[in-house]
Amino acid sequence: MAGWDIHTHLIPPTVLSAAYKGEFGLGVDSGSLVAGEERLPLKRLADPAALLRWIDEQDLDGAVVSVPPALFRYDAGVEWAELVNQGLRELATPQLRVLGHLPLLDAEAPSVAASLAGEGVFSGFALGTPSYAGLDPVWRVLHEIEAFTLVHPGHSDDERLQSFYLTNLLGNPYETGLAAASLVFADVVGRFPGIRFCLCHGGGVTAAVAGRWQRGIDQARPGIVAPSLPVADALRRFYVDDLVHDEGVLELLGKTFGAERVLAGSDWPFPMGSDGIVAARATAADELTRPLAREVVAS
């Protein structure tokens, strides 16, 4: 039984080239790509052959590739997205499916999404976790093309997380939960059901607080306008990866999202990733992540 790892990362070759040239505020220092305060060790992140070896070791058909979250850089606009997407095109092979990068907070994001969807190269999109306010034009395009849309946590601004590696251990799960809450409470999953959202790291804190979200709706807490779907139904429209490192939490994911919507995701090659893929959870990703080839006009 083979399948797909839906959560892996590579640095696109165009980004590496720009870093060596000192373009886009990037640099290379002591074997790491430097992007502002972020440092990405090149090694396996810059080595597609290493990812292909992982695929072979895990007896998979292939892996779905997105850029590391340090490279989302939503303040860098369309020109940055073009550079990243060109590198992702160069990475795409039958064994490596790539998720496009959108200039999510730029007015051109819907048209970029529509253009990439028609190429037959990209298997969907990977999004970070900035504010999702005002993104209905983007959601409309992703809905029309039924895009697989991986939601990956970005950096949390909470300075209290600087100790004990909590920026990752706690900040990442919080950021994913915040993104999921935004999509649930703004009724994005109810109004744009064609989007096939997939939350990384098992959805972060989402499953643990879902009941609290529904209680807030039921009690008409300030600022809440009840979405069209109960929280439990809304969460059943998400996919999640299985990267939680806890069998009890995996059981909770099955109850919250549906066992058939829990996909295999390793976070390769990062150290907080998994050491192996569960084949039964890898098979469902094949159809979900086939390259898009749908023409759509952004309105």
Side-chain angles (χ1 to χ4, degrees), residues 198-211:
C198 181
L199 306 173
C200 287
H201 311 136
V205 301
T206 302
V209 295

Side-chain angles (χ1 to χ4, degrees), residues 40-188:
L40 294 171
L42 295 177
K43 296 184 180 179
R44 292 188 294 172
L45 272 175
D47 186 1
L51 178 52
L52 292 173
R53 288 194 293 273
W54 164 259
I55 291 168
D56 288 342
E57 290 167 4
Q58 299 300 313
D59 194 25
L60 295 169
D61 293 317
V64 182
V65 176
S66 54
V67 297
L71 300 183
F72 286 146
R73 306 185 78 196
Y74 290 126
D75 59 341
V78 174
E79 188 176 0
W80 172 254
E82 290 174 347
L83 178 80
V84 171
N85 287 323
Q86 179 53 39
L88 289 166
R89 291 184 188 96
E90 294 172 14
L91 288 172
T93 69
Q95 285 186 290
L96 299 180
R97 294 176 176 176
V98 295
L99 299 178
H101 176 67
L102 298 178
L104 193 60
L105 307 184
D106 192 282
E108 295 300 311
S111 61
V112 171
S115 176
L116 296 180
E119 292 186 15
V121 174
F122 296 92
S123 290
F125 303 95
L127 308 183
T129 52
S131 169
Y132 288 165
L135 292 183
D136 276 11
V138 177
W139 305 139
R140 190 169 295 112
V141 173
L142 301 189
H143 163 73
E144 290 184 19
I145 60 178
E146 298 182 336
F148 180 79
T149 303
L150 187 75
V151 176
H152 195 293
H155 179 76
S156 173
D157 294 328
D158 190 336
E159 294 183 359
R160 296 173 298 173
L161 299 173
Q162 295 304 313
S163 301
F164 313 118
Y165 196 58
L166 292 180
T167 51
N168 187 298
L169 300 184
L170 185 59
N172 278 12
Y174 164 77
E175 285 289 318
T176 305
L178 179 59
S182 299
L183 297 171
V184 169
F185 283 99
D187 202 27
V188 174

Side-chain angles (χ1 to χ4, degrees), residues 210-228:
R212 188 171 181 84
W213 292 356
Q214 186 61 54
R215 179 67 174 178
I217 293 170
D218 294 343
Q219 294 298 310
R221 293 292 77 205
I224 296 177
V225 176
S228 65

Side-chain angles (χ1 to χ4, degrees), residues 227-251:
S228 65
L229 298 172
V231 172
D233 292 347
L235 294 184
R236 290 258 167 175
R237 295 195 175 184
F238 287 95
Y239 293 88
V240 295
D241 73 18
D242 60 358
L243 188 59
V244 293
H245 309 292
D246 188 310
E247 289 297 323
V249 175
L250 274 174
E251 183 178 349

